[in-house]
Every structure is written in C-alpha cells, then in structure tokens.
Amino acid sequence: MAKDYTSLAKKIVENVGGENNVISLVHCATRLRFKLIDENKVNMDVLKQTEGVITVMKAGGQVQVVIGNKVDTVYDAVLSCTNINAGNSEEMEDTGNKNLLNTLLETISGIFSPMLGVMCGAGMLKALLILCTTLNILTADMGTYKILYAAADSVFNFMPIILGYTAAKKFKCNPFIAMSIAMSLLYPTMTDAYSEGTKLTFLTIPVTLVSYASSVMPIIISVYVQSKLEKLLKKIIPEVCKLFLTPLLELSIMVPATFLVIGPFMDKFGKLLASGYTAIMGFNPIIAVSYTHLRAH
C-alpha cells in the first residue's frame, strides 16, 4: 500500500506560514519550492527536524524544502489537502535576488535533473554488462550483449538529443526544433564525414567538423541561441504562416550556425578547459583535486 503523505504535507504548509502565506508552489527533482508572502513566518528549525524532510534552505527568493525522490508525491499531497494552486516556472522566477552563479547553477540543474534517472540506469546497465563479460556469462559478440549494450550506450551516445529537449524546456522554446538541431549533429552523413576526414563547406564557408556524440555544451548553447531567435521570429512573422515558417527559419539558421560557429567554438573551449585541468594536475594534483571537490559541493 502506498504511503500517505498528507500529514507531512500539512506540517510543511503549517510551518511555512500556512497556505495563506504561499504565493506559489512548484517542485524540482528533489525539493518543494515555495514562493511566500512573508519568509519571516517560516519555522526553519521545526521543518528541518520534521521526519521526511532532509533540509530546508532559502535561495533565489524561495523557501526550498528538500524531500528527495518522493517530492512529487508530497507535492501532490500538498495540493490535495490545501487550497494552494500549482505554480509554474515563470511564477517562481526572481531575477532581482539572483547573481550570475545562482542563475548558472539553476540553469544547469534544470537541464540535467530530468535526465538523471535514465543516465543512472544506463550507467548501471553498462556496469552489469562489464560484470557479465568478466564472469564469462556474456560475450561481446552475443546478440543479448549487443542489444543490452545498445540500450545502455545509446543514452550517452545520443545525449545531445535528450539535452536538446530538456534545454528547450528550460529556455522555453520549441523542444522538437531543439531535438532536430541535435539530431542533425548526429546525422549519419555528418558523423561519417567527420570519421573519414571529409572536407565540407557551407555557402563556400569551410565547416570544422567535430564529434558531437556524447557532447554537452554545443547543443545547450545552440538551444539557448534558438530560444532568443524564436522569440524574435514570433514577433515579426505573421500569424497565418507562423506554424511552418518559424521552424523553417529556425532550422535553416541554427543548424548551420551550430556546425559553423557554436559547435567548433564549444569543442575548443572544452578542450581548453581539459588542458588547463591537466596542466594543474601536472603542477600540483592536490590543487586540482581540491578544485574538483569544491565544484562538486
């Protein structure tokens, strides 16, 4: 029988000042995010000691109650036992209290959180396959191994497509266009051209081909630019032809822009970061490990 979270939901609402103190409520991967009228009414100590609550924090103009994996169930319980209405991401924006670092971290979290589950599952499946081959239960030439490996490796190989979708949701633009941009980066003709060292041009401009399989930053930056382009196009394109003309122009502009500028630039930027980290490791490994530890926290 499923656990009833009504009692926990009522206690949380009571200690954020009651439902009349709540402007809006949304949830992310692990936490309830309350936007309140008066944050001084929040009883932080009681909330932190409440069973089922991991911790409580104030960030980005919100009171965030960390629940964990059951956050969606607790969120539904809050809505069902109170008159609080479900909020949305636009209502929770508070740019006045955010600095650049907070905005960056929130953006990264918003893009990667939805795909953490499938990434963990795929990673564990890969680990199980390694164990099976080590114990000679499976071999790499067996059909069973190939099918399961395809299931695990496809998540990472085609990660730009998944990131295209989640980034589009975060940047509030058309996710299907974003996924189409990502698919063009992984299109067999283009990946074969990279593998074979084929020289390509676009309108006589040389194209610097790089490998986009498992890449992260090129598609995220492309979708961010797409979101700005889409807003502009929606303002200037007549309503009667917006349905087909907006995607036409977005694809015609963003795919070449990604191959010509965004992709190669982000590839070089990533390699530069990797080289810098390698240099630090060579100079003093303790500094590099400490830096990585600080970034992780």
Side-chain angles (χ1 to χ4, degrees):
M1 183 183 232
K3 184 176 180 180
D4 185 4
Y5 289 94
T6 302
S7 177
L8 174 60
K10 288 181 177 178
K11 190 165 186 179
I12 291 173
V13 172
E14 176 186 348
N15 286 284
V16 295
E19 59 184 89
N20 292 329
N21 192 41
V22 179
I23 298 173
S24 56
L25 169 66
V26 297
H27 76 86
C28 56
T30 59
R31 61 191 67 183
L32 299 171
R33 298 166 56 194
F34 290 91
K35 190 170 184 179
L36 305 175
I37 297 173
D38 185 0
E39 291 186 4
N40 293 322
K41 292 183 178 180
V42 178
N43 195 329
M44 299 283 285
D45 293 332
V46 173
L47 282 173
K48 288 179 180 179
Q49 295 172 10
T50 300
E51 184 179 355
V53 174
I54 298 174
T55 189
V56 184
M57 62 189 71
K58 294 181 180 180
Q62 307 163 12
V63 171
Q64 301 183 6
V65 183
V66 183
I67 303 295
N69 294 332
K70 297 292 185 181
V71 65
D72 54 341
T73 308
V74 178
Y75 174 78
D76 291 338
V78 171
L79 297 183
S80 64
C81 70
T82 67
N83 294 317
I84 297 173
N85 295 318
N88 55 59
S89 57
E90 286 85 357
E91 290 174 332
M92 300 303 285
E93 294 294 333
D94 187 2
T95 55
N97 293 325
K98 291 181 182 178
N99 56 35
L100 181 60
L101 180 60
N102 286 338
T103 301
L104 179 61
L105 292 176
E106 182 182 323
T107 300
I108 293 172
S109 175
I111 292 172
F112 283 93
S113 291
M115 61 180 293
L116 287 179
V118 69
M119 285 181 64
C120 291
M124 291 179 68
L125 181 54
K126 272 193 169 185
L128 286 173
L129 289 173
I130 292 172
L131 179 63
C132 287
T133 53
T134 302
L135 298 176
N136 295 319
I137 298 173
L138 294 174
T139 59
D141 59 348
M142 293 175 63
T144 302
Y145 176 90
K146 291 179 179 178
I147 290 173
L148 291 177
Y149 189 82
D153 194 52
S154 61
V155 174
F156 300 98
N157 190 70
F158 297 103
M159 188 181 294
I161 299 175
I162 304 176
L163 287 173
Y165 179 84
T166 58
K169 289 293 186 180
K170 182 62 182 178
F171 298 135
K172 302 178 182 64
C173 58
N174 191 316
F176 299 104
I177 296 175
M179 293 169 69
S180 297
I181 296 170
M183 286 186 278
S184 71
L185 301 179
L186 303 173
Y187 192 68
T189 301
M190 303 307 295
T191 56
D192 290 346
Y194 168 76
S195 300
E196 297 166 3
T198 304
K199 302 294 183 181
L200 296 180
T201 61
F202 179 80
L203 299 178
T204 71
I205 305 172
V207 178
T208 302
L209 291 174
V210 300
S211 176
Y212 294 104
S214 306
S215 64
V216 172
M217 290 307 298
I219 187 60
I220 291 178
I221 301 302
S222 291
V223 175
Y224 175 75
V225 176
Q226 175 207 339
S227 69
K228 301 302 182 183
L229 174 63
E230 189 171 291
K231 289 178 182 178
L232 174 63
L233 293 175
K234 285 183 176 180
K235 289 180 180 179
I236 62 178
I237 294 177
E239 194 68 34
V240 67
C241 55
K242 188 176 292 184
L243 178 64
F244 66 88
L245 193 54
T246 302
L248 169 63
L249 292 174
E250 286 188 55
L251 288 173
S252 300
I253 295 171
M254 288 309 308
V255 172
T258 303
F259 275 112
L260 290 170
V261 182
I262 298 173
F265 176 80
M266 294 312 303
D267 181 66
K268 288 183 179 180
F269 181 70
K271 290 178 179 177
L272 184 63
L273 287 179
S275 298
Y277 183 80
T278 302
I280 295 174
M281 279 290 292
F283 176 73
N284 191 328
I286 296 176
I287 295 176
V289 173
S290 300
Y291 173 71
T292 304
H293 179 76
L294 288 172
R295 289 191 64 185
H297 292 78

